[in-house]
């Protein structure tokens, strides 16, 4: 029993170690450090342990190799992924560049298309203009053709009319010459008759004129004498009338001049220092008597001041409604002499 226990124990230990190493390898624990010393066991147990350790080492080496292979495969996989990612990136960049190039080409194509459309429109407009020009030219040609035909018809009608007129003119000229000849003959006869009549009439007129002149001279002499008598009478009458009117106007002038002096005297303020003194005043009046201006022409200063004040106070002086009288009084010279009661 004791021997059996001695063998069983090392085998259990070896199996446990084997399992532990596998677990440690699975967990990635490094076995490079030295294992701690184990308790001494018997020779068979050590031998069994050494055999198991070789297996374990082989298994560990196998696991490490597998791990290295896995890491290598992982690195290769990562490198492949990176390569594929780089290729995908380059492919995307090429695709983006191609898209950009295609977009530029599309825009250029749009520009060229737009230019082509504009050129087409311009060509269409030009074609339409050429067409319109052609239509207008054709219309002008037809109009000119029509005008030419109308002109030709008019020219033909004018030629026919001219022929008719020339024939009529020739006939009229023939008739005129015939009538002229007849008229000339009649005129010559009439001239001879007229000359005979004129000679007889001239003699009669000369006698009548001589008689009429004698009569007219006598009538003119009588009429001139009568007109002179009437002129003398009219001149005398006008002189008398003018004298009468002058007297009446002078009377009116004196009347209104006296009224003007009375108005000034009524407004004149006097004192004893003015007694026996005078002032010459010129006054210009409007046609309603309004005093336009007044100027002293010389005299006593006190009397002159009083006279101007009296005229200014009056404002308006009496004037005649008769234009001839007003004309004599519109510029009047007065001698103002104060009066004392």
């Amino acid at each position: 029993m004791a021997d059996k226990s001695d063998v069983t124990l090392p085998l259990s230990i070896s199996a446990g170690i084997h399992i532990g190493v596998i677990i440690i390898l699975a967990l990635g624990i490094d076995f490079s450090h030295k294992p701690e010393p184990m308790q001494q066991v018997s020779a068979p147990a050590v031998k069994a342990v050494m055999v198991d350790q070789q297996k374990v080492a082989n298994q560990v080496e196998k696991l490490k190799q597998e791990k290295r292979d896995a890491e290598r495969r992982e690195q290769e996989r990562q490198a492949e992924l990176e390569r594929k990612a780089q290729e995908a990136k380059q492919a995307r960049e090429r695709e983006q560049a191609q898209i950009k190039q295609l977009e530029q080409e599309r825009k250029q194509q749009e520009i060229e298309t737009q230019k082509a459309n504009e050129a087409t429109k311009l060509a269409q407009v030009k074609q339409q203009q050429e067409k319109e020009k052609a239509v207008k030219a054709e219309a002008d040609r037809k109009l000119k053709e029509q005008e030419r035909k109308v002109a030709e018809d008019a020219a033909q009608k004018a030629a026919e009319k001219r022929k008719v007129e020339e024939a009529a003119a020739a006939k009229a000229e023939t008739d005129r010459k015939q009538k002229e000849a007849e008229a000339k003959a009649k005129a010559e006869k009439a001239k001879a008759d007229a000359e005979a009549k004129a000679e007889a009439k001239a003699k009669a007129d000369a006698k009548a004129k001589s008689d009429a002149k004698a009569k007219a001279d006598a009538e003119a002499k009588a009429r001139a004498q009568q007109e002179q008598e009437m002129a003398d009478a009219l001149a005398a009458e006008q002189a008398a009338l003018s004298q009468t009117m002058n007297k009446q106007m002078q009377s009116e002038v004196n009347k209104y001049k006296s009224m003007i002096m009375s108005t000034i005297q009524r407004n004149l303020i006097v004192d004893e220092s003015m007694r026996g003194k005078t002032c010459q005043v010129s006054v210009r009046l409007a046609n309603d008597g309004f005093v336009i201006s007044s100027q002293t022409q010389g005299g006593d200063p006190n009397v002159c001041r009083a006279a101007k004040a009296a005229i200014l106070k009056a404002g308006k002086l009496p004037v005649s409604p008769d234009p001839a009288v007003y004309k004599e009084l519109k510029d009047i010279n007065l001698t103002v002499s104060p009066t004392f009661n």
Side-chain angles (χ1 to χ4, degrees):
M1 292 297 289
D3 294 335
K4 188 176 179 180
S5 299
D6 293 337
V7 174
T8 303
L9 181 59
L11 289 174
S12 299
I13 294 170
S14 177
I17 292 170
H18 187 216
I19 293 168
V21 170
I22 293 171
I23 292 170
I24 291 168
L25 288 172
L27 295 174
I29 300 173
D30 189 9
F31 286 93
S32 61
H33 63 280
K34 294 182 180 180
E36 294 181 1
M38 301 179 58
Q39 295 181 355
Q40 293 182 355
V41 293
S42 62
V46 171
K47 185 177 179 181
V49 170
M50 290 177 63
V51 172
D52 290 338
Q53 286 180 348
Q54 185 65 38
K55 291 180 178 180
V56 169
N58 292 336
Q59 187 67 26
V60 168
E61 185 61 28
K62 183 180 178 181
L63 291 171
K64 287 184 176 181
Q65 186 62 39
E66 290 177 353
K67 183 178 179 183
R68 284 194 296 272
D69 291 341
E71 289 177 351
R72 180 180 53 76
R73 287 195 298 274
E74 179 65 20
Q75 290 176 355
E76 292 176 353
R77 188 181 70 80
Q78 291 293 335
E80 182 67 17
L81 290 174
E82 289 180 0
R83 184 183 64 78
K84 289 182 177 180
Q86 185 66 25
E87 289 179 354
K89 180 180 179 182
Q90 292 176 355
R92 284 195 304 274
E93 290 177 351
R94 288 194 298 272
E95 184 179 359
Q96 290 176 355
Q98 187 176 6
I99 291 171
K100 186 175 181 181
Q101 180 65 26
L102 290 173
E103 180 66 18
Q104 292 177 351
E105 292 177 357
R106 183 186 65 77
K107 289 182 178 179
Q108 184 64 30
Q109 185 65 30
E110 287 181 353
I111 293 171
E112 292 177 356
T113 302
Q114 185 177 0
K115 289 181 178 179
N117 292 335
E118 291 176 354
T120 301
K121 289 180 180 178
L122 184 60
Q124 290 175 351
V125 170
K126 188 173 181 181
Q127 184 178 3
Q128 181 65 25
Q129 291 176 348
E130 294 294 333
K131 184 177 179 181
E132 290 175 356
K133 286 181 180 179
V135 171
K136 186 177 182 300
E138 179 64 18
D140 292 342
R141 187 191 65 77
K142 289 181 178 180
L143 180 61
K144 288 180 179 179
E145 181 66 20
Q146 184 178 2
E147 290 176 350
R148 185 184 62 78
K149 289 181 179 180
V150 171
E152 288 178 354
D153 293 342
Q156 185 177 358
K157 290 179 181 179
E160 293 175 355
K161 184 179 179 181
R162 187 171 60 253
K163 288 180 181 180
V164 173
E165 290 176 350
E166 287 175 354
K171 185 176 182 302
E173 180 65 17
T174 302
D175 294 342
R176 184 189 66 78
K177 287 181 179 179
Q178 184 178 356
K179 289 179 180 180
E180 191 176 75
E182 293 174 355
K184 185 176 181 181
K186 289 180 180 180
E188 288 176 353
K189 184 178 181 300
K191 182 179 179 182
D193 294 341
E195 286 177 351
K197 289 180 180 180
E199 186 177 357
K201 185 176 182 303
K203 291 179 180 180
D205 288 344
K207 184 177 183 305
K209 186 176 182 182
S210 177
D211 295 342
K213 185 176 183 302
K215 184 179 179 181
D217 290 343
E219 289 178 352
K221 186 176 180 181
R223 187 166 54 251
Q225 185 177 358
Q226 186 179 4
E227 288 176 354
Q228 184 62 43
E229 291 175 355
M230 290 177 63
D232 292 342
L234 181 60
E237 185 179 354
Q238 286 180 346
L241 180 61
S242 177
Q243 187 176 6
T244 302
M245 290 180 65
N246 287 335
K247 288 180 179 180
Q248 289 177 352
M249 188 180 71
Q250 190 60 43
S251 176
E252 285 291 303
V253 169
N254 292 334
K255 171 185 171 183
Y256 278 94
K257 189 173 182 180
S258 177
M259 292 169 65
I260 290 170
M261 285 298 300
S262 297
T263 302
I264 295 172
Q265 289 290 347
R266 281 197 305 272
N267 291 282
L268 187 68
I269 300 173
V270 299
D271 58 39
E272 285 298 327
S273 64
M274 301 178 187
R275 187 180 293 274
K277 297 176 182 178
T278 62
C279 178
Q280 299 295 321
V281 181
S282 62
V283 180
R284 173 166 288 186
L285 301 176
N287 57 5
D288 62 348
F290 179 78
V291 178
I292 298 173
S293 66
S294 63
Q295 298 289 334
T296 58
Q297 301 298 326
D300 182 73
N302 292 331
V303 176
C304 288
R305 281 194 296 271
K308 287 200 69 173
I311 294 169
L312 181 64
K313 183 178 179 181
K316 290 177 69 175
L317 297 175
V319 292
S320 172
D322 187 345
V325 178
Y326 164 71
K327 184 178 179 181
E328 294 294 324
L329 293 173
K330 69 176 182 178
D331 289 304
I332 185 172
N333 293 317
L334 302 172
T335 300
V336 178
S337 178
T339 58
F340 295 87
N341 293 328

